Amino acid sequence: MAYKRQIGRLPIIPADAKEHNVVCHYCIVGCGYKAYSWDARYEGGTAASENKFGVDLAAQQEAETAAWYAPSMYNTVRQDGRDVHLVIKPDKECVVNSGLGSVRGARMAEMSYSRQRNTQLQRLTDPLVWRYGQLQPTSWDDALDLVARVTAAVIDEQGEDGLFVSAFDHGGAGGGYENTWGTGKLYFGAMKVKNIRIHNRPAYNSEVHASRDMGVGELNNCYEDAELADTIVAVGTNALETQTNYFLNHWVPNLRGTSLAKKQAEFGNEPVDRARIIIVDPRRTVTVNACEVEAGKDNVLHLAINSGTDLALFNALLTHVAEKGWTDKAFIDASTSDFDKALAANRMTVGEAAQITGLAAEDIVRAAEWIAGPKEGGARRRTMFAYEKGLIWGNDNYRTNGALVNLALATGNIGRPGGGCVRMGGHQEGYSRPSDAHVGRPAAYVDKLLIEGGGGVHHVWACDHYKTTLNAMEFKRVYKKRTDLVKDAMNSVPYGDREAMVAAIMGAIRQGGLFSVDVDIVPTKIGEAAHVILPAATSGEMNLTSMNGERRMRLTERYMDPPGQAMPDCLIAARLANHLERVFRAAGKAEVADKFKGFDWKSEEDAFMDGYHAHEKGGAFVTYERLRAMGTNGFQEPAVAVENGRIVGTKRLYADGKFSRPDGKAQFMETAWRGLQAAGKEAEREKFAFLINNGRTNDVWQSAYLDVENEFVMDRWPYPFIEMNPDDMAELTLKEGDLVEVYNDNGSTQAMAYPTPTARRKQAFMLFAYPAGVQGNVVSAGVNEFIIPNYKQTWGNIRKIADAPEGVRHLSFKSPEYPASPA
Ligand SMILES: Nc1nc2c(c(=O)[nH]1)N[C@H]1C(S)=C(S)[C@@H](COP(=O)(O)OP(=O)(O)OC[C@H]3O[C@@H](n4cnc5c(=O)[nH]c(N)nc54)[C@H](O)[C@@H]3O)O[C@H]1N2
Ligand SMILES: Nc1nc2c(c(=O)[nH]1)N[C@H]1C(S)=C(S)[C@@H](COP(=O)(O)OP(=O)(O)OC[C@H]3O[C@@H](n4cnc5c(=O)[nH]c(N)nc54)[C@H](O)[C@@H]3O)O[C@H]1N2
Ligand code: SF4
Ligand SMILES: [Mo]
């Protein structure tokens, strides 16, 4: 049977419940929530004086009332050692979401660790070490001593290049300014680690090098710009499912035409209308469907390009716009450099682009008109450009990113209300680290080095490469082999003898072994290979700061206790630094030991003050106390002043026409088309029948690390889906829910067929990073010149494995699209 919550009634939030500011710890949007908590022994009442809402709950509430909450927003947790009721509900006063939740964020409470209500009991509570042939719980000092000794021994023998690190670089759960600073100060301050990679890509680099190199920071507008734009250009972003409340609360009003008054007020006598939207995505997403319903089909242009051909489209648009004389000459002259050079180098006709992209020439021309054709009376159109993983993990990422920024600059749309050329974003942001300049460019291809036998010790912070990396099957094969060598060596030593243990581990490392330390909140797939596992506290179990996709910074306050001995990541980094200092000092290496000073933090606030407050632009204005006072609205970075105790931020970047290059000008980039750029991709495309496009779905968060213990998600997706055209399914004698193998020369994986009439023939779309079938197994090792992976351009074959198993018989295979008017 399909999932049903068996909850009869929920407690009423009493008037005296504690209230904490919360930012949803999942996606980039960073919706504001409030956590209400109160002692488990009582609850509020229906009288207005007895409940937090201050309304008479015995009376019928109006449809849009904030005086309610859903079962998924409730739990019983521990707070300062006592049982409390906890409600985490969307905050109507937050300008980001205006009270909207999402199928992910509105489940934060039920996704919390609760021994009383048996939720998320898989959470790690104690450090674990490999002992007696299995992972066993131990103390922090015991675990960290082993990690420090092995790490120090590897550094002694191989130098700091023998220490490999995988680490988050973002905000929200598994990140935040406190934690990026903690890990950053350890690996880039105390040490100069070079073989380090970021959680979602196999090297330490930027996803958006090109934009930055051009002098255009990638989060340069504000969410309100989506309400003000005449045209939105959405490239490789499925915003309804992946940046949900940004789409619902800021795009939809403009698509519906309900933000016209706002536009009129902002733009005086320019003609204003509801937004048009151009969506560049090889597949018809539910975002395309939603836009058609909200804006009307005439206002939506879905450019279903051939996978990986965005660059050709952007170059043709630039060429056409320039030929029509629709560029912003005044802006180009005042604020940019190299326009003519780039225009000449990138020249591509509409006809050529139509060939490459598979689009109709007239659709490309129409797109150019929607982007830059003057409005009635001659005013320039205000066009906002937004992109995410369809571009970022797409073919020739660097140049494609540059080509889109070219178009935004040429049409004068950066720094201007209703404009912007921005990442939509993944996680929230929360980057604060000492300089990474020593890493160099291109940065080391860490996965490749690991596969080749490089490194002796690997510290893994909040990443599960077994589910999320490229070339994943080969990575897992080698990683298991190398870590097994160390496990076998550890099994040969009596545990009490620490010196003999370290010697045995080092012996195995010399034979090609790898010692693996995993810092996470739950047991992971890569954690199966680990020798030490360290339990982290996460957002809400600690105070945590981050910013969202419009640079809006907030503090999520600690509202519950972490499970067991779990600690904030920044403090784990600090304690590890303390142990490394001790171990190096004991070994008579005082000079090395001294580098690990400055980690005497007692709280996450100490890490914040040492990091963000002392080092980041505008950080001096920002403290926990001030952030608390700014509530769920916070301020937009960078902070520029404090007035009457309130932090003053920056609504848009580059509003003054000055860009982030030494001469203050944005630089156009030469981005000539060069086909499928990553090694082996073109051959893969020719050899295999299906495009294995891949990405996300609304109700699953990332590698499903919490979802795997959530019945709501597991009931819907016991196996990862693969969307297929029904005619392709018929050819393979597949029925809905049947299990298929997806395979190519990189590896193989398994998924559940989901008939999708809107899918183009031979173009499948598979859920990424799912534990029951890892799409990354079939993604090749091919990257660009800066080691940016190319997850999206993957081709493979599909064959039937089995009829739909029992576990999928209850599933619906309906289309997720919704009709224009209630059917
Ligand atoms: N094929 C394919 N592969 C992809 C992508 C794709 O589109 N296609 N996308 C890429 C992208 S954009 C991303 S972001 C990555 C995601 O790749 P990963 O970052 O590896 O995966 P996540 O599931 O986001 O999180 C990793 C781990 O963080 C842990 N965690 C959560 N909160 C905390 C915390 O507070 N502290 C600690 N220490 N751990 C915590 C979780 O338990 C989880 O095990 O995948 C990438 N891989
Ligand atoms: N529900 C949910 N939301 C999330 C996440 C989640 O796991 N679940 N993860 C968060 C994270 S970390 C990230 S990075 C973001 C990612 O957010 P998105 O980038 O929106 O998500 P994806 O599904 O990875 O990819 C977006 C689209 O790229 C398209 N695409 C594939 N190939 C191409 C191409 O060649 N060109 C173009 N133009 N498009 C192409 C795909 O068809 C897909 O619809 O989502 C964030 N939000
Ligand atoms: S849209 Fe993103 S930030 Fe907002 S509630 Fe949903 S998952 Fe959380
Ligand atoms: Mo991401």
Side-chain angles (χ1 to χ4, degrees):
M1 205 185 88
Y3 175 68
K4 203 161 177 201
R5 283 192 177 83
Q6 309 295 346
I7 291 179
R9 70 179 296 280
L10 292 162
I12 295 174
I13 307 174
D16 65 353
K18 278 190 213 158
E19 184 176 321
H20 289 108
N21 296 318
V22 173
V23 177
C24 173
H25 53 80
Y26 296 122
C27 87
I28 177 74
V29 181
C31 297
Y33 280 72
K34 292 279 183 183
Y36 300 98
S37 54
W38 68 97
D39 196 285
R41 290 170 306 176
Y42 72 104
E43 63 173 295
T46 52
S49 63
E50 291 170 355
N51 64 70
K52 195 74 185 176
F53 309 114
V55 300
D56 176 10
L57 291 173
Q60 175 74 46
Q61 306 295 306
E62 78 275 9
E64 295 290 321
T65 180
W68 75 288
Y69 67 89
S72 66
M73 301 176 195
Y74 171 76
N75 215 332
T76 314
V77 300
R78 290 230 134 193
Q79 184 184 73
D80 303 322
R82 299 175 64 91
D83 286 353
V84 295
H85 293 290
L86 174 72
V87 173
I88 309 180
K89 67 191 285 293
D91 182 7
K92 210 161 186 169
E93 303 307 315
C94 177
V95 295
V96 173
N97 52 316
S98 307
L100 293 180
S102 77
V103 69
R104 302 176 300 286
R107 288 186 291 116
M108 266 188 288
E110 76 172 16
M111 293 293 237
S112 300
Y113 178 72
S114 171
R115 296 182 55 97
Q116 297 81 352
R117 294 180 73 244
N118 295 341
T119 54
Q120 296 299 324
L121 290 186
Q122 92 274 27
R123 284 289 303 273
L124 298 168
T125 54
D126 301 271
L128 304 170
V129 296
W130 186 261
R131 188 177 273 177
Y132 333 121
Q134 66 192 67
L135 285 163
Q136 296 280 7
T138 189
S139 68
W140 277 104
D141 277 341
D142 181 54
L144 287 173
D145 177 71
L146 182 62
V147 176
R149 282 176 192 245
V150 174
T151 303
V154 168
I155 291 173
D156 265 354
E157 218 164 284
Q158 305 186 14
E160 282 176 358
D161 290 354
L163 167 57
F164 278 51
V165 179
S166 295
F168 51 80
D169 73 335
H170 55 75
Y177 288 110
E178 293 76 3
N179 297 327
T180 54
W181 179 255
T183 46
K185 186 170 176 170
L186 176 61
Y187 297 114
F188 293 166
M191 295 183 266
K192 288 274 176 284
V193 170
K194 209 174 69 198
N195 291 322
I196 178 167
R197 59 162 282 178
I198 292 172
H199 69 112
N200 63 0
R201 50 194 187 270
Y204 206 90
N205 49 17
S206 170
E207 293 177 19
V208 286
H209 269 314
S211 191
R212 291 184 189 175
D213 287 352
M214 294 165 81
V216 181
E218 68 275 12
L219 297 176
N220 45 60
N221 74 357
C222 56
Y223 283 178
E224 195 185 86
D225 285 322
E227 296 172 49
L228 298 175
D230 294 310
T231 301
I232 296 176
V233 181
V235 180
T237 156
N238 178 18
L240 172 58
E241 297 200 80
T242 56
Q243 296 92 8
T244 308
N245 289 330
Y246 177 25
F247 180 80
L248 293 175
N249 203 31
H250 302 277
W251 291 31
V252 167
N254 198 1
L255 296 168
R256 281 185 181 164
T258 52
S259 63
L260 286 184
K262 204 172 204 171
K263 287 175 146 180
Q264 204 84 60
E266 186 94 10
F267 303 133
N269 45 17
E270 268 179 41
V272 294
D273 203 347
R274 57 162 48 161
R276 291 172 178 168
I277 185 163
I278 300 166
I279 299 172
V280 187
D281 193 312
R283 129 186 117 114
R284 181 177 164 89
T285 58
V286 293
T287 302
V288 177
N289 161 240
C291 289
E292 287 179 354
V293 173
E294 303 303 338
K297 282 192 175 165
D298 291 348
N299 292 309
V300 181
L301 182 56
H302 174 209
L303 299 179
I305 55 168
N306 291 332
S307 176
T309 62
D310 303 69
L311 174 54
L313 172 66
F314 304 154
N315 282 355
L317 289 170
L318 180 72
T319 306
H320 189 74
V321 163
E323 276 168 3
K324 286 282 179 187
W326 292 339
T327 54
D328 187 340
K329 292 185 190 67
F331 172 83
I332 292 173
D333 290 346
S335 296
T336 71
S337 61
D338 290 351
F339 175 66
D340 294 330
K341 239 169 87 181
L343 187 64
N346 304 346
R347 204 189 127 69
M348 175 163 295
T349 66
V350 168
E352 287 164 346
Q355 272 286 316
I356 296 168
T357 58
L359 297 172
E362 54 274 21
D363 281 343
I364 301 178
V365 169
R366 190 144 66 109
E369 282 164 6
W370 284 18
I371 288 170
K375 297 201 269 187
E376 243 179 70
R380 302 197 56 74
R381 286 191 80 80
R382 297 173 182 274
T383 301
M384 177 184 124
F385 299 82
Y387 59 96
E388 196 46 42
K389 288 294 156 6
L391 184 156
I392 291 173
W393 299 148
N395 171 42
D396 216 354
N397 144 298
Y398 183 78
R399 287 172 174 222
T400 305
N401 182 204
L404 188 65
V405 179
N406 280 343
L407 192 57
L409 285 171
T411 54
N413 274 306
I414 302 182
R416 172 185 202 226
C421 183
V422 292
R423 269 195 68 181
M424 289 295 282
H427 301 81
Q428 279 150 72
E429 302 290 311
Y431 191 93
S432 177
R433 274 182 183 155
S435 166
D436 58 18
H438 65 277
V439 170
R441 196 164 154 177
Y445 190 165
V446 167
D447 283 32
K448 184 161 175 281
L449 295 175
L450 281 170
I451 288 171
E452 288 166 1
V457 55
H458 187 196
H459 296 179
V460 182
W461 296 80
C463 319
D464 197 351
H465 305 327
Y466 273 30
K467 288 181 271 172
T468 60
T469 197
L470 70 178
N471 195 18
M473 210 152 153
E474 178 66 0
F475 182 88
K476 286 179 274 205
R477 191 184 67 76
V478 177
Y479 202 85
K480 176 173 188 302
K481 203 164 147 192
R482 295 189 63 192
T483 49
D484 276 350
L485 272 176
V486 173
K487 284 181 178 169
D488 292 342
M490 291 177 82
N491 291 343
S492 70
V493 184
Y495 206 87
D497 192 345
R498 183 57 49 106
E499 268 172 34
M501 180 62 71
V502 174
I505 293 168
M506 289 306 293
I509 289 172
R510 280 178 216 114
Q511 304 296 310
L514 184 72
F515 187 79
S516 176
V517 182
D518 186 28
V519 190
D520 208 292
I521 61 172
V522 293
T524 62
K525 293 286 179 190
I526 198 171
E528 289 168 11
H531 307 96
V532 176
I533 293 183
L534 303 174
T538 193
S539 184
E541 300 161 0
M542 63 178 289
N543 297 291
L544 192 72
T545 54
S546 62
M547 71 169 193
N548 78 347
E550 55 174 349
R551 293 162 284 101
R552 189 176 294 281
M553 180 174 184
R554 277 80 47 91
L555 169 69
T556 294
E557 298 176 274
R558 174 178 161 144
Y559 52 77
M560 63 179 281
D561 300 347
Q565 304 187 58
M567 278 200 299
D569 289 281
C570 54
L571 297 184
I572 298 175
R575 297 297 86 85
L576 178 54
N578 300 151
H579 277 269
L580 281 162
E581 180 183 354
R582 177 180 57 75
V583 167
F584 278 120
R585 209 170 293 291
K589 300 202 161 75
E591 226 171 278
V592 185
D594 285 346
K595 293 189 185 162
F596 293 88
K597 283 183 167 170
F599 285 97
D600 44 7
W601 310 326
K602 297 274 180 297
S603 69
E604 55 272 26
E605 188 169 4
D606 294 342
F608 181 81
M609 295 308 282
D610 188 40
Y612 189 92
H613 179 77
H615 290 89
E616 294 306 315
K617 187 173 175 192
F621 299 116
V622 186
T623 61
Y624 271 17
E625 195 190 339
R626 285 185 185 145
L627 282 172
R628 244 178 231 122
M630 305 288 291
T632 53
N633 286 324
F635 73 97
Q636 286 176 272
E637 292 185 57
V640 292
V642 174
E643 280 167 16
N644 306 320
R646 300 194 56 84
I647 304 167
V648 182
T650 309
K651 188 164 178 173
R652 279 180 198 92
L653 302 185
Y654 315 124
D656 59 357
K658 298 259 176 303
F659 289 88
S660 314
R661 286 181 57 84
D663 61 0
K665 297 200 167 180
Q667 189 177 37
F668 282 91
M669 184 176 277
E670 294 183 26
T671 59
W673 167 249
R674 49 181 186 177
L676 289 182
Q677 165 274 331
K681 290 285 182 184
E682 183 58 38
E684 189 178 289
R685 189 182 68 80
E686 282 162 14
K687 182 166 173 187
F688 296 99
F690 283 89
L691 170 70
I692 313 294
N693 188 358
N694 58 92
R696 293 151 171 87
T697 195
N698 208 343
D699 38 21
V700 179
W701 175 247
Q702 294 289 87
S703 66
Y705 55 86
L706 294 179
D707 295 328
V708 284
E709 291 298 328
N710 184 269
E711 290 172 30
F712 170 78
V713 179
M714 286 299 117
D715 183 77
R716 181 70 184 114
W717 304 121
Y719 305 101
F721 61 78
I722 185 161
E723 295 176 0
M724 294 178 70
N725 179 287
D727 294 336
D728 288 335
M729 285 180 58
E731 265 178 29
L732 297 171
T733 67
L734 287 169
K735 301 175 303 305
E736 60 185 30
D738 285 356
L739 298 180
V740 297
E741 182 172 73
V742 180
Y743 61 100
N744 60 18
D745 295 340
N746 310 307
S748 47
T749 188
Q750 196 168 318
M752 173 185 77
Y754 200 110
T756 306
T758 57
R760 294 161 82 189
R761 291 295 305 268
K762 305 290 181 206
Q763 299 205 1
F765 180 88
M766 181 173 165
L767 180 62
F768 97 119
Y770 217 54
V774 172
Q775 195 277 336
N777 284 1
V778 292
V779 176
S780 82
V783 293
N784 78 355
E785 59 268 55
F786 300 118
I787 326 294
I788 301 290
N790 191 186
Y791 298 111
K792 299 297 190 211
Q793 276 71 50
T794 294
W795 286 267
N797 287 339
I798 297 176
R799 69 176 181 90
K800 179 167 172 173
I801 289 180
D803 287 339
E806 182 58 27
V808 312
R809 282 183 202 273
H810 65 286
L811 293 196
S812 163
F813 290 90
K814 273 190 183 166
S815 161
E817 296 206 3
Y818 66 104
S821 53

